[in-house]
Amino acid sequence: LLNVLYSVMDYCVSLFPIYKVETIGDCYMVVGGLPEPSSAHTEAIADFALLARCAVSQLVQSPVPGDEPLHLRMGIHSGPVVAGVVGSLMPRYCLFGDTVNTASRMESTGQAGQIQCSGPTGDDLRASGLYVLEERGPVDVKGKGCMTTCWLVAGTEANIFASAGFLDGALARAQELAECVARKPS
C-alpha cells in the first residue's frame, strides 16, 4: 500500500517545480521554492496538493476490503525556513523552522480528504485568482493558538493544472504507474 501511495505521490511531485523532502511513516513532506527559488512556490504546492488528493483517492486502494478509497489529509503554510544538508553517513536535505511546524499543524488539525491552508497562504492563493478556497474559520493550533484557516477546494478555470486535459493525462499516467508498482513483488 505505501509503495503504491508513495509512487503515485512521487509522480505528482515530478509534474511541478517542487521538492520531496522526506517521508516518515505516513507523512510525505514537499517544499516549493527550494532548493531552486521560485516566485510561484505557493501555487506549485497548491497544484500538487489538488492533483495528489485526486490521484490518491481514485488510484490507491484501501487495505480494508470494501472500504472507502484513501483520503489524504494535507496542510499548507508558507514562510521562511532554514534548509541544508545534514549528516555524513546518510546526508539528507532537511528543513527547519516555524514554517515547517505550522505546515505540520495545518495537516494534523485538518480533515480527511481536505487541504487546509493557513490564513497567509490562503490569502496568497486567493490573490492569484487560480484557486477556489472556503473559509474554515478559527482553529486551535497547538503551539500557535487560534489561527484562521481555509480549505483549498479546487483550481479555477484560469488554472491550467485544473483543466480536464491536464488532469485526465496526469491521472492516466499515475494509474499506469500504480498498476505497475502493485504488480511488482515486494
Side-chain angles (χ1 to χ4, degrees), residues 109-166:
T109 60
Q111 296 175 0
Q114 299 286 0
I115 305 164
Q116 182 171 231
C117 300
S118 65
T121 299
D123 293 343
D124 289 348
L125 294 174
R126 270 189 208 87
S128 75
L130 298 174
Y131 304 94
V132 176
L133 294 112
E134 290 179 2
E135 291 300 320
R136 181 178 186 195
V139 175
D140 186 34
V141 178
K142 181 180 174 186
K144 305 294 288 179
C146 189
M147 291 181 69
T148 300
T149 68
C150 59
W151 301 121
L152 173 58
V153 178
T156 65
E157 289 182 14
N159 186 333
I160 62 168
F161 297 110
S163 70
F166 174 81

Side-chain angles (χ1 to χ4, degrees), residues 15 26 45 98 115 152:
L15 299 177
D26 65 350
I45 292 293
D98 187 59
I115 305 164
L152 173 58

Side-chain angles (χ1 to χ4, degrees), residues 56-98:
V56 168
S57 69
Q58 290 185 29
L59 303 174
V60 181
Q61 298 300 311
S62 169
V64 179
D67 203 6
E68 293 184 21
L70 288 183
H71 295 288
L72 298 177
R73 185 177 66 192
M74 293 187 266
I76 304 175
H77 180 64
S78 304
V81 297
V82 174
V85 177
V86 297
S88 56
L89 182 60
M90 294 180 65
R92 296 177 58 204
Y93 185 70
C94 294
L95 305 178
F96 305 93
D98 187 59

